[in-house]
């Protein structure tokens, strides 16, 4: 099993969520976060003054999937969240040793 953490633009959340549901990937955790990457923020003008905003709003998706689903999930996130502009986000993949469903005590892939 793998945990996929995707940092995406907030306005892409609904599209990504719908695309993942089409794959049968229903379970996810979504968090509103702030961050920055290579773009180092943006500069906006307000009433003639420039302001630097260096921590931009992003959405963090956390999904745990079986190993055989990883490539399909990543491809779907990239295709759906990609705009081609700086700030589209990143995807991180980490191994998951075990999953336990609290309600039933199921473990492993059955708990997903």
């Amino acid at each position: 099993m793998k945990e996929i953490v995707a940092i995406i633009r907030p306005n892409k959340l609904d599209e990504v969520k719908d695309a993942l549901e089409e794959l049968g990937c229903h379970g996810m955790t979504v968090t509103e976060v702030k961050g920055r990457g290579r773009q180092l923020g943006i500069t906006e003008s307000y009433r003639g003054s420039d302001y630097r905003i260096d921590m931009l709003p992003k959405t963090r998706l956390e999904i745990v999937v079986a190993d055989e689903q990883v490539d399909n999930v990543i491809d779907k996130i990239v295709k759906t969240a990609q705009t081609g502009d700086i700030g589209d986000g990143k995807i991180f993949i980490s191994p998951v040793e075990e999953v336990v469903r609290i309600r039933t005590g199921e473990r492993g892939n059955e708990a997903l």
Side-chain angles (χ1 to χ4, degrees):
M1 289 174 285
K2 302 281 191 238
E3 178 185 35
I4 299 171
V5 175
I7 310 296
I8 63 172
R9 296 174 182 268
N11 63 319
K12 290 292 190 172
L13 174 61
D14 287 336
E15 290 177 60
V16 171
K17 186 180 62 149
D18 292 344
L20 291 174
E21 286 178 1
E22 288 175 12
L23 284 179
C25 184
H26 302 287
M28 64 185 75
T29 301
V30 178
T31 311
E32 294 178 11
V33 296
K34 289 186 179 186
R36 70 176 194 187
R38 288 186 180 170
Q39 70 191 89
L40 302 177
I42 58 173
T43 302
E44 290 188 356
S45 294
Y46 178 72
R47 294 187 178 186
S49 298
D50 288 339
Y51 294 93
R52 183 152 181 80
I53 302 170
D54 65 345
M55 299 301 272
L56 300 172
K58 298 291 180 182
T59 298
R60 177 185 169 118
L61 288 161
E62 296 172 68
I63 308 157
V64 177
V65 299
D67 289 334
E68 56 272 7
Q69 292 180 297
V70 172
D71 290 335
N72 289 337
V73 170
I74 291 169
D75 290 344
K76 192 64 95 167
I77 293 170
V78 169
K79 287 176 185 170
T80 309
Q82 187 177 63
T83 68
D85 295 328
I86 292 174
D88 277 350
K90 296 257 189 317
I91 299 174
F92 305 95
I93 301 105
S94 303
V96 173
E97 290 185 28
E98 184 71 85
V99 175
V100 178
R101 183 177 308 214
I102 295 172
R103 179 177 55 88
T104 63
E106 292 171 302
R107 293 177 173 263
N109 286 337
E110 292 80 34
L112 293 178

